[in-house]
Amino acid sequence: MLREYVYGLAGLVGVKKPLGQHFLVDDLVAERVASLVEGRVVFEVGSGLGSLTLYMARKAEYIYGCEVDRVFLGLLKRELERRGVGNVDLMLCDAT
């Protein structure tokens, strides 16, 4: 599921190598990481297309996400809205 979601979106908008973009595509890894944030407030650097964000939103109390790519930020905001996710706040920022 995650692999298709990420590859589909990344194929549409392209990957920006200078930004060091890498994408989590393993559902089991995403589930494992999400289990570590249950009930916590999370600051996620590099929310990207939301591979991890979408999983963590199911477990975390709240997520503050930082993304430098305007296109990815817009896509993720739309996906969160489409899914009715209300515990994620995304911002355009460079965490370097």
Side-chain angles (χ1 to χ4, degrees):
M1 177 191 120
L2 190 54
R3 183 177 303 275
E4 292 82 18
Y5 167 75
V6 171
Y7 285 167
L9 286 178
L12 288 173
V13 298
V15 177
K16 297 171 185 78
K17 293 285 185 181
L19 296 179
Q21 293 175 331
H22 293 80
F23 305 102
L24 175 62
V25 295
D26 188 317
D27 290 285
L28 294 175
V29 172
E31 288 174 10
R32 175 68 179 122
V33 173
S35 73
L36 300 173
V37 301
E38 190 161 355
R40 297 175 186 241
V41 175
V42 176
F43 180 73
E44 180 185 32
V45 176
S47 300
L49 295 170
S51 302
L52 191 53
T53 313
L54 294 167
Y55 275 88
M56 289 193 304
R58 298 179 198 163
K59 303 277 186 177
E61 180 180 329
Y62 205 85
I63 301 171
Y64 295 94
C66 172
E67 177 54 49
V68 69
D69 188 313
R70 289 179 189 275
V71 175
F72 286 5
L73 183 70
L75 289 170
L76 181 52
K77 282 184 176 182
R78 282 192 291 277
E79 185 64 19
L80 291 168
E81 184 176 309
R82 185 184 76 77
R83 294 181 184 217
V85 176
N87 65 332
V88 178
D89 185 17
L90 298 171
M91 59 198 100
L92 182 66
C93 63
D94 185 347
T96 59

